[in-house]
Amino acid sequence: MSLTACGEQRGTDVAASSSATSPSSSSSSPDASPYVEPGIVDGAPHQGDNNAYRRSGEMSAAGAKDAQKEADRIEPVLKRLWGQKKWDPKSVRGALLELGYEEERTGPKGERLGGTLTVRKMYPRYEIDHNVTPEGALIGLRVHDDACVTAFVQKTNFEVKTNGPFMESGCFEPPYGH
């Protein structure tokens, strides 16, 4: 047997090839598609490639440690705000600026000019026949070039986590594209 470029096994002689297609060796379920990527259970072909923009970058050990330290500072603030039912971006931004963070600034071509904190409204989502933007705030804190704290606070819950930056959207996990 030999492997093709797609990882499919092929027989190297007629006997091996003909026995693989005999009725006695067939099963009731079809073989897995040779185009499904390893690790993707029930996904479309190339699902991993299609969703690469949603994978965060790698963090160094030092970056991960520093990001966790900042996440530990942010989490009690978001918990307090959530308990006070204050999840609008203005309230969240104000509370986080009190921790000493500076708002991130960018130039006309998207270049970073300073600051590390971005707080914005939640991503809109489609409901029934129109887009709805839920109440709440998304938080992105750039700790290092390779390390971020990503968080949100909304009516139902809040979350704080660490991750590397996303390829196209910095510290914010991008919404689904399709």
Side-chain angles (χ1 to χ4, degrees), residues 62-164:
K65 181 180 178 184
D66 290 348
Q68 187 58 54
K69 179 180 168 187
E70 296 305 323
D72 292 343
R73 290 181 68 212
I74 290 172
E75 187 167 12
V77 173
L78 295 186
K79 183 177 183 177
R80 176 178 51 83
L81 290 169
W82 183 72
Q84 295 172 345
K85 301 180 190 240
K86 292 182 180 180
W87 41 76
D88 62 281
K90 183 178 178 182
S91 296
V92 172
R93 182 180 303 107
L96 293 176
L97 289 174
E98 287 178 13
L99 292 178
Y101 300 121
E102 185 180 334
E103 282 191 82
E104 188 171 42
R105 298 176 313 283
T106 56
K109 296 180 182 175
E111 68 274 17
R112 291 189 323 215
L113 300 177
T116 57
L117 175 71
T118 302
V119 179
R120 66 169 106 175
K121 64 184 179 177
M122 303 291 280
Y123 290 122
R125 63 176 180 251
Y126 192 77
E127 287 187 7
I128 303 173
D129 62 352
H130 64 285
N131 281 328
V132 173
T133 302
E135 293 179 57
L138 293 172
I139 299 106
L141 178 70
R142 187 174 294 274
V143 180
H144 295 297
D145 284 342
D146 73 334
C148 295
V149 175
T150 304
F152 69 84
V153 59
Q154 61 186 1
K155 184 177 184 175
T156 56
N157 62 339
F158 68 92
E159 179 182 64
V160 178
K161 62 184 180 179
T162 63
N163 51 270

